[in-house]
Amino acid sequence: MSRGHAVVIGDDFSLGSKENIERYISSEFDDVVKADLSTTVGVERLFNFCVNKYGRIDEIWHLAANSDIPAGVTNPKVDLERTFHTTFSLLGACNNFGVGVFNFASSSAVYGDWGDVPLTESLGPLTPISNYGAMKLASEAQICAAFESFLTDATIFRFPNVVGTPATHGVIFDFIRKLQKSPDRLDVLGNGTQQKSYLHVDDLVDAMIYVSNRSGEDSNTRPTIINIGNNDCGVSVKTIADLVRKRCAPDAKINFGSSSHGWVGDVPRFSYDTSLLSSLGWRPSLSSVLSVEKAIDQISDEFTKHLD
Amino acid sequence: MSRGHAVVIGDDFSLGSKENIERYISSEFDDVVKADLSTTVGVERLFNFCVNKYGRIDEIWHLAANSDIPAGVTNPKVDLERTFHTTFSLLGACNNFGVGVFNFASSSAVYGDWGDVPLTESLGPLTPISNYGAMKLASEAQICAAFESFLTDATIFRFPNVVGTPATHGVIFDFIRKLQKSPDRLDVLGNGTQQKSYLHVDDLVDAMIYVSNRSGEDSNTRPTIINIGNNDCGVSVKTIADLVRKRCAPDAKINFGSSSHGWVGDVPRFSYDTSLLSSLGWRPSLSSVLSVEKAIDQISDEFTKHLD
């Protein structure tokens, strides 16, 4: 919107809500269309709306996915349809409607569990350990094939762990919800040693716009694939639990599990390499710890608001 | 079969034929079941047949796919369903039926177009340029997630260009068919400089069995992913055209196109690194040129037989 574009948002509202989106909508040139983007019919409904109102579609920013990783571990069809079929259907419609620019929210989950090996964009083989990560990688693959065939510009952003509001899930959200239910105790999945870097959603959006503004500067033979994230050593689950307790329920007792994994599909520890992004000149405004602290404040406020 | 296993073959016969398979079937413990493996219903039909007859399923060898790459470029749904949904449905049934061992025919097409960069298993990012390669990579990804969740042993064989009989498509097949129709001329897609290594199907099977016999020797944290192929510098399309002409129609005139690509999704030139396979002690019995020559003889014989 800040670039002066008309923005049309398509969502099936299975995880998000119209209320979450509408607070960001500012003009008559922004629209929200309810559509199931995992099907050709749903995507064509959205595309037809855009073409009828604006005459053409310039760019796709594909962020639709099942973002609830454990749900996809329980039922792989959730990730198949919401995370991969959305990509497949959108690309098919781009081909039919002559849309050449495609931006995609991929994930660090495409790498899998590499321990302390730095996750650079040139690392292989890619061995995701969750159906979510698998369907993000499947999406990347289909975008690469489409780039060879008809896309003129494609950017694949590999997201880190992102925090902020509006939140629907995730470790901070879970901890705050648990403490709201029982303010005297906080049960933590896993032993709390899982350490990850976190990026605040405001920094994430800033980085995507930054990279997107540069695109077209190089003539690429393949899509731009880039890790987005903080390059610090991250925050442990134990620290997050301590910070949430401090903010929400200072007297709570924290109980840790014994596993180094939180749940099947969770990568316990990884070293996310963002030197490619740094080399383009972008810097995050908040470190991992500060991103988490800001998100705790924001999510607590949201919970309080809903209680009022 | 040579290991003393009962073998049940599931096929939808969309590209293969029952006749092709039956010549290899030797005992009352080998069965052929017609089933559409891209659907849960089709896979469960196959699995139920196996369990009813033999009591259990020990291993899956998943070779089902759309092997006609240009068909998938024209209609991405062909690769989605036949190349990826087959994998997705098979893995779902493995989880339900308690099958822990999964072997998969992946492809060098998962790498994309890297020119002279050696294609090692650790190369990234993976940027396939055909829907076929994309859906092979999607399959690899889903297998990795299944390995984290319930598989005990998974091997991903990245196939090279394979030649031999029975053939249904491919450059040798096409050249022979063209010369049968018009023995005076052979029109070649592309300028003939495309150079690839080729492996004969007999060597391919030998390598898969060899790697499979070793599996379980290392305790793996991820599926075994291994390139299968010849490590020579390959054969050009021009050489293949010359060899086919010599065998089938010595007086034909060969006409080349002007593009360095044969068709969209074709990787014109690549350097396939098979040092991991070599390090395990396996060697191909035939070089690329000898593999191609043997396949030309075999495929020509098949054409002649059909004419009789």
Side-chain angles (χ1 to χ4, degrees), chain B residues 205-244:
Chain B
V205 172
D206 187 63
M208 291 168 79
I209 300 284
Y210 184 91
V211 172
S212 170
N213 283 340
R214 284 190 74 267
S215 87
E217 285 185 25
D218 315 314
S219 71
N220 291 324
T221 57
R222 67 191 73 226
T224 299
I225 298 180
I226 189 163
N227 291 344
I228 307 284
N230 253 309
N231 56 356
D232 56 27
C233 57
V235 190
S236 71
V237 169
K238 185 181 179 312
T239 300
I240 297 175
D242 288 339
L243 290 169
V244 171

Short mmCIF file of all heavy atoms in Angstrom, two decimals, chain B residues 205-244:
data_model
loop_
_atom_site.label_atom_id
_atom_site.label_comp_id
_atom_site.label_asym_id
_atom_site.label_seq_id
_atom_site.Cartn_x
_atom_site.Cartn_y
_atom_site.Cartn_z
N VAL B 205 19.01 -50.67 -12.14
CA VAL B 205 18.43 -51.62 -11.18
C VAL B 205 19.54 -52.20 -10.30
O VAL B 205 19.39 -52.31 -9.08
CB VAL B 205 17.66 -52.73 -11.93
CG1 VAL B 205 17.23 -53.83 -10.97
CG2 VAL B 205 16.45 -52.13 -12.65
N ASP B 206 20.65 -52.54 -10.94
CA ASP B 206 21.78 -53.10 -10.20
C ASP B 206 22.24 -52.13 -9.10
O ASP B 206 22.47 -52.53 -7.95
CB ASP B 206 22.92 -53.39 -11.18
CG ASP B 206 24.05 -54.14 -10.52
OD1 ASP B 206 23.82 -55.29 -10.07
OD2 ASP B 206 25.17 -53.59 -10.42
N ALA B 207 22.33 -50.84 -9.43
CA ALA B 207 22.78 -49.84 -8.45
C ALA B 207 21.78 -49.70 -7.30
O ALA B 207 22.16 -49.59 -6.13
CB ALA B 207 22.98 -48.49 -9.14
N MET B 208 20.48 -49.73 -7.62
CA MET B 208 19.47 -49.58 -6.57
C MET B 208 19.53 -50.75 -5.58
O MET B 208 19.47 -50.55 -4.36
CB MET B 208 18.07 -49.49 -7.19
CG MET B 208 17.84 -48.19 -7.96
SD MET B 208 16.33 -48.26 -8.97
CE MET B 208 15.11 -47.96 -7.72
N ILE B 209 19.64 -51.96 -6.12
CA ILE B 209 19.73 -53.13 -5.25
C ILE B 209 21.00 -53.05 -4.40
O ILE B 209 20.99 -53.32 -3.19
CB ILE B 209 19.74 -54.43 -6.10
CG1 ILE B 209 18.48 -54.55 -6.94
CG2 ILE B 209 19.93 -55.66 -5.21
CD1 ILE B 209 17.23 -54.95 -6.20
N TYR B 210 22.09 -52.62 -5.04
CA TYR B 210 23.38 -52.50 -4.33
C TYR B 210 23.27 -51.55 -3.14
O TYR B 210 23.67 -51.87 -2.02
CB TYR B 210 24.44 -52.00 -5.33
CG TYR B 210 25.85 -51.94 -4.77
CD1 TYR B 210 26.71 -53.02 -4.90
CD2 TYR B 210 26.31 -50.79 -4.14
CE1 TYR B 210 28.00 -52.96 -4.39
CE2 TYR B 210 27.60 -50.72 -3.63
CZ TYR B 210 28.44 -51.82 -3.76
OH TYR B 210 29.71 -51.75 -3.26
N VAL B 211 22.70 -50.36 -3.40
CA VAL B 211 22.57 -49.36 -2.32
C VAL B 211 21.60 -49.87 -1.25
O VAL B 211 21.84 -49.73 -0.05
CB VAL B 211 22.08 -48.01 -2.89
CG1 VAL B 211 21.75 -47.03 -1.78
CG2 VAL B 211 23.14 -47.42 -3.82
N SER B 212 20.52 -50.49 -1.72
CA SER B 212 19.51 -50.99 -0.78
C SER B 212 20.08 -52.07 0.14
O SER B 212 19.77 -52.10 1.34
CB SER B 212 18.33 -51.54 -1.59
OG SER B 212 17.45 -52.22 -0.75
N ASN B 213 20.93 -52.93 -0.39
CA ASN B 213 21.54 -53.99 0.44
C ASN B 213 22.43 -53.41 1.54
O ASN B 213 22.61 -54.03 2.58
CB ASN B 213 22.36 -54.94 -0.43
CG ASN B 213 21.49 -55.91 -1.20
OD1 ASN B 213 20.34 -56.15 -0.83
ND2 ASN B 213 22.03 -56.47 -2.28
N ARG B 214 22.99 -52.24 1.28
CA ARG B 214 23.84 -51.59 2.28
C ARG B 214 23.02 -50.85 3.34
O ARG B 214 23.54 -50.49 4.39
CB ARG B 214 24.74 -50.55 1.61
CG ARG B 214 25.92 -51.12 0.86
CD ARG B 214 26.84 -50.00 0.47
NE ARG B 214 27.61 -49.46 1.59
CZ ARG B 214 27.28 -48.43 2.36
NH1 ARG B 214 26.17 -47.77 2.15
NH2 ARG B 214 28.06 -48.02 3.34
N SER B 215 21.75 -50.55 3.06
CA SER B 215 21.02 -49.63 3.93
C SER B 215 20.80 -50.25 5.30
O SER B 215 20.68 -51.46 5.43
CB SER B 215 19.69 -49.21 3.31
OG SER B 215 18.70 -50.12 3.64
N GLY B 216 20.81 -49.44 6.30
CA GLY B 216 20.79 -49.92 7.67
C GLY B 216 22.20 -50.03 8.25
O GLY B 216 22.36 -50.14 9.46
N GLU B 217 23.23 -49.98 7.38
CA GLU B 217 24.62 -50.02 7.90
C GLU B 217 24.94 -48.75 8.68
O GLU B 217 25.61 -48.79 9.70
CB GLU B 217 25.61 -50.19 6.74
CG GLU B 217 25.63 -51.61 6.19
CD GLU B 217 26.70 -51.80 5.12
OE1 GLU B 217 27.70 -51.05 5.13
OE2 GLU B 217 26.52 -52.69 4.28
N ASP B 218 24.51 -47.62 8.19
CA ASP B 218 24.70 -46.37 8.93
C ASP B 218 23.39 -46.04 9.65
O ASP B 218 22.32 -46.37 9.17
CB ASP B 218 25.03 -45.22 7.96
CG ASP B 218 26.06 -45.64 6.93
OD1 ASP B 218 27.07 -46.25 7.33
OD2 ASP B 218 25.84 -45.36 5.74
N SER B 219 23.49 -45.42 10.80
CA SER B 219 22.27 -44.94 11.42
C SER B 219 22.05 -43.52 10.94
O SER B 219 22.86 -42.62 11.17
CB SER B 219 22.38 -44.99 12.94
OG SER B 219 23.26 -44.01 13.40
N ASN B 220 20.99 -43.34 10.20
CA ASN B 220 20.77 -42.07 9.52
C ASN B 220 19.79 -41.19 10.27
O ASN B 220 18.83 -41.69 10.84
CB ASN B 220 20.23 -42.32 8.11
CG ASN B 220 21.27 -42.95 7.22
OD1 ASN B 220 22.45 -42.63 7.32
ND2 ASN B 220 20.85 -43.85 6.35
N THR B 221 20.04 -39.91 10.23
CA THR B 221 19.09 -38.96 10.80
C THR B 221 18.17 -38.41 9.72
O THR B 221 17.23 -37.69 10.01
CB THR B 221 19.82 -37.79 11.47
OG1 THR B 221 20.66 -37.17 10.50
CG2 THR B 221 20.66 -38.28 12.63
N ARG B 222 18.47 -38.74 8.47
CA ARG B 222 17.62 -38.30 7.36
C ARG B 222 17.63 -39.40 6.31
O ARG B 222 18.47 -40.29 6.36
CB ARG B 222 18.13 -36.98 6.80
CG ARG B 222 19.48 -37.08 6.10
CD ARG B 222 20.06 -35.70 5.81
NE ARG B 222 20.53 -35.06 7.02
CZ ARG B 222 20.29 -33.80 7.36
NH1 ARG B 222 19.60 -33.04 6.57
NH2 ARG B 222 20.75 -33.30 8.48
N PRO B 223 16.72 -39.37 5.33
CA PRO B 223 16.76 -40.40 4.28
C PRO B 223 18.10 -40.40 3.55
O PRO B 223 18.77 -39.36 3.47
CB PRO B 223 15.63 -39.97 3.34
CG PRO B 223 14.70 -39.18 4.19
CD PRO B 223 15.57 -38.46 5.17
N THR B 224 18.50 -41.57 3.06
CA THR B 224 19.64 -41.64 2.15
C THR B 224 19.23 -41.01 0.83
O THR B 224 18.21 -41.40 0.25
CB THR B 224 20.05 -43.11 1.92
OG1 THR B 224 20.41 -43.69 3.17
CG2 THR B 224 21.21 -43.21 0.95
N ILE B 225 19.99 -40.04 0.36
CA ILE B 225 19.71 -39.39 -0.92
C ILE B 225 20.94 -39.59 -1.79
O ILE B 225 22.04 -39.20 -1.39
CB ILE B 225 19.41 -37.89 -0.74
CG1 ILE B 225 18.16 -37.72 0.14
CG2 ILE B 225 19.24 -37.20 -2.08
CD1 ILE B 225 17.77 -36.27 0.40
N ILE B 226 20.78 -40.22 -2.95
CA ILE B 226 21.97 -40.59 -3.71
C ILE B 226 21.73 -40.48 -5.22
O ILE B 226 20.71 -40.95 -5.73
CB ILE B 226 22.43 -42.02 -3.30
CG1 ILE B 226 23.79 -42.34 -3.91
CG2 ILE B 226 21.39 -43.08 -3.62
CD1 ILE B 226 24.50 -43.52 -3.25
N ASN B 227 22.69 -39.84 -5.89
CA ASN B 227 22.66 -39.78 -7.35
C ASN B 227 23.05 -41.14 -7.92
O ASN B 227 24.06 -41.72 -7.50
CB ASN B 227 23.69 -38.77 -7.87
CG ASN B 227 23.32 -37.32 -7.57
OD1 ASN B 227 22.18 -37.02 -7.23
ND2 ASN B 227 24.30 -36.43 -7.69
N ILE B 228 22.28 -41.62 -8.88
CA ILE B 228 22.64 -42.84 -9.61
C ILE B 228 22.96 -42.43 -11.03
O ILE B 228 22.17 -41.71 -11.65
CB ILE B 228 21.46 -43.84 -9.65
CG1 ILE B 228 20.91 -44.12 -8.26
CG2 ILE B 228 21.87 -45.14 -10.36
CD1 ILE B 228 21.73 -45.01 -7.41
N GLY B 229 24.10 -42.87 -11.55
CA GLY B 229 24.39 -42.49 -12.94
C GLY B 229 25.78 -42.87 -13.36
O GLY B 229 26.54 -43.46 -12.61
N ASN B 230 26.07 -42.53 -14.60
CA ASN B 230 27.40 -42.66 -15.15
C ASN B 230 28.18 -41.40 -14.81
O ASN B 230 27.63 -40.31 -14.85
CB ASN B 230 27.32 -42.80 -16.67
CG ASN B 230 27.64 -44.20 -17.13
OD1 ASN B 230 28.66 -44.75 -16.72
ND2 ASN B 230 26.77 -44.78 -17.92
N ASN B 231 29.46 -41.57 -14.50
CA ASN B 231 30.25 -40.38 -14.19
C ASN B 231 31.12 -39.94 -15.36
O ASN B 231 32.10 -39.23 -15.17
CB ASN B 231 31.08 -40.61 -12.92
CG ASN B 231 31.96 -41.84 -13.06
OD1 ASN B 231 31.90 -42.54 -14.07
ND2 ASN B 231 32.79 -42.10 -12.06
N ASP B 232 30.74 -40.38 -16.56
CA ASP B 232 31.51 -39.91 -17.72
C ASP B 232 30.90 -38.61 -18.24
O ASP B 232 29.94 -38.10 -17.68
CB ASP B 232 31.57 -40.99 -18.81
CG ASP B 232 30.19 -41.46 -19.26
OD1 ASP B 232 29.22 -40.66 -19.16
OD2 ASP B 232 30.07 -42.62 -19.69
N CYS B 233 31.50 -38.06 -19.31
CA CYS B 233 31.03 -36.75 -19.74
C CYS B 233 29.81 -36.85 -20.67
O CYS B 233 29.31 -35.84 -21.15
CB CYS B 233 32.15 -35.94 -20.37
SG CYS B 233 32.90 -36.77 -21.74
N GLY B 234 29.33 -38.08 -20.91
CA GLY B 234 28.04 -38.20 -21.60
C GLY B 234 28.13 -38.27 -23.11
O GLY B 234 29.20 -38.42 -23.69
N VAL B 235 26.98 -38.12 -23.73
CA VAL B 235 26.83 -38.24 -25.18
C VAL B 235 25.99 -37.06 -25.67
O VAL B 235 25.01 -36.70 -25.02
CB VAL B 235 26.08 -39.54 -25.57
CG1 VAL B 235 26.15 -39.79 -27.06
CG2 VAL B 235 26.61 -40.73 -24.80
N SER B 236 26.36 -36.48 -26.79
CA SER B 236 25.56 -35.38 -27.33
C SER B 236 24.37 -35.92 -28.12
O SER B 236 24.39 -37.07 -28.58
CB SER B 236 26.41 -34.49 -28.24
OG SER B 236 26.70 -35.20 -29.43
N VAL B 237 23.35 -35.08 -28.28
CA VAL B 237 22.20 -35.47 -29.09
C VAL B 237 22.64 -35.75 -30.53
O VAL B 237 22.13 -36.66 -31.18
CB VAL B 237 21.12 -34.37 -29.04
CG1 VAL B 237 20.04 -34.63 -30.08
CG2 VAL B 237 20.50 -34.29 -27.65
N LYS B 238 23.61 -34.99 -31.00
CA LYS B 238 24.12 -35.23 -32.36
C LYS B 238 24.67 -36.65 -32.51
O LYS B 238 24.39 -37.36 -33.48
CB LYS B 238 25.22 -34.20 -32.69
CG LYS B 238 25.71 -34.31 -34.12
CD LYS B 238 26.80 -33.34 -34.48
CE LYS B 238 27.24 -33.56 -35.94
NZ LYS B 238 27.49 -34.97 -36.27
N THR B 239 25.45 -37.08 -31.50
CA THR B 239 26.00 -38.44 -31.55
C THR B 239 24.89 -39.48 -31.54
O THR B 239 24.94 -40.47 -32.27
CB THR B 239 26.94 -38.66 -30.34
OG1 THR B 239 28.00 -37.71 -30.42
CG2 THR B 239 27.52 -40.07 -30.35
N ILE B 240 23.87 -39.23 -30.68
CA ILE B 240 22.75 -40.18 -30.64
C ILE B 240 22.05 -40.25 -32.00
O ILE B 240 21.74 -41.34 -32.49
CB ILE B 240 21.74 -39.79 -29.53
CG1 ILE B 240 22.43 -39.87 -28.16
CG2 ILE B 240 20.51 -40.69 -29.56
CD1 ILE B 240 21.58 -39.39 -27.00
N ALA B 241 21.87 -39.08 -32.62
CA ALA B 241 21.23 -39.06 -33.94
C ALA B 241 22.07 -39.85 -34.95
O ALA B 241 21.53 -40.65 -35.74
CB ALA B 241 21.05 -37.61 -34.40
N ASP B 242 23.38 -39.67 -34.90
CA ASP B 242 24.27 -40.40 -35.81
C ASP B 242 24.18 -41.91 -35.59
O ASP B 242 24.11 -42.70 -36.55
CB ASP B 242 25.73 -39.95 -35.61
CG ASP B 242 25.99 -38.55 -36.16
OD1 ASP B 242 25.20 -38.11 -37.03
OD2 ASP B 242 26.95 -37.91 -35.71
N LEU B 243 24.16 -42.31 -34.31
CA LEU B 243 24.12 -43.75 -33.99
C LEU B 243 22.80 -44.38 -34.41
O LEU B 243 22.76 -45.51 -34.92
CB LEU B 243 24.35 -43.96 -32.48
CG LEU B 243 25.77 -43.68 -31.96
CD1 LEU B 243 25.79 -43.68 -30.43
CD2 LEU B 243 26.76 -44.70 -32.50
N VAL B 244 21.70 -43.63 -34.21
CA VAL B 244 20.40 -44.16 -34.60
C VAL B 244 20.33 -44.28 -36.13
O VAL B 244 19.86 -45.29 -36.68
CB VAL B 244 19.24 -43.28 -34.07
CG1 VAL B 244 17.91 -43.72 -34.68
CG2 VAL B 244 19.17 -43.34 -32.55
#
